[in-house]
């Protein structure tokens, strides 16, 4: 499956409508981003059941800012509308494949329970929330 271009106009709907979304924050002038692109595209072809998306940080500065993207490429994985991974750096193919397998294996009920316990008033309130930006 080809990657989908995300914008501030379609981001929320796309993430809400798809249970598993990988997002590549990139820019055309970024050499590591350009080197990561074929690895990302190959992974999208190998995982047609997942949605692979891209955010051009130059064209979508407001969206990149909302997620505090300061280094690119940054890969984010969102499952069931929860950001479960966000890290800068161009991953080699084997590492991306392993990361996708780990993300697939996550028990999202456990993740949601952890998020609930991390909220103020819950056990572990010193931790953050879902990792998604506050609106």
């Amino acid at each position: 499956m080809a990657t989908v271009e995300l914008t501030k106009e379609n981001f929320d709907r796309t993430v809400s409508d798809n249970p598993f979304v990988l997002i590549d924050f990139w820019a055309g002038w970024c050499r590591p981003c350009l080197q990561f692109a074929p690895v990302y595209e190959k992974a999208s072809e190998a995982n047609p059941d997942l949605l692979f998306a891209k955010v051009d940080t130059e064209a979508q500065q407001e969206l990149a800012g909302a997620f505090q993207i300061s280094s690119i490429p940054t890969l984010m994985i969102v499952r069931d509308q929860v950001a479960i991974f966000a890290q800068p750096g161009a991953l080699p193919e084997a590492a991306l494949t392993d990361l996708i397998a780990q993300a697939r294996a996550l028990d999202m009920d456990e993740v949601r329970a952890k998020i609930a316990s991390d909220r103020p008033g819950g056990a572990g309130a010193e931790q953050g929330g879902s990792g998604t930006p506050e609106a």
Side-chain angles (χ1 to χ4, degrees):
M1 174 180 197
T3 57
V4 173
E5 188 68 33
L6 291 182
T7 65
K8 68 179 183 175
E9 290 78 22
N10 71 359
F11 184 91
D12 288 339
R13 179 177 30 85
T14 301
V15 170
S16 296
D17 291 350
N18 294 280
F20 199 126
V21 184
L22 290 93
I23 305 166
D24 175 22
F25 290 87
W26 71 286
W29 52 263
C30 166
R31 188 172 304 263
C33 297
L34 300 176
Q35 292 170 334
F36 180 61
V39 172
Y40 192 69
E41 190 64 34
K42 187 173 181 181
S44 75
E45 292 166 4
N47 296 277
D49 57 319
L50 308 181
L51 180 69
F52 285 72
K54 290 176 129 338
V55 174
D56 180 346
T57 58
E58 290 295 306
Q60 298 298 320
Q61 293 181 10
E62 186 176 337
L63 189 55
F67 286 97
Q68 300 176 343
I69 302 300
S70 58
S71 296
I72 53 174
T74 289
L75 179 66
M76 179 180 288
I77 300 177
V78 179
R79 273 195 61 194
D80 300 336
Q81 301 177 35
V82 176
I84 60 170
F85 178 86
Q87 182 176 305
L91 295 174
E93 184 178 345
L96 180 56
T97 299
D98 183 58
L99 179 61
I100 292 169
Q102 289 181 49
R104 284 184 186 275
L106 273 180
D107 181 333
M108 290 307 292
D109 289 333
E110 286 182 16
V111 171
R112 282 186 284 278
K114 171 91 170 92
I115 291 168
S117 73
D118 287 349
R119 289 204 174 116
E126 70 281 353
Q127 297 293 320
S130 68
T132 56
E134 298 290 322

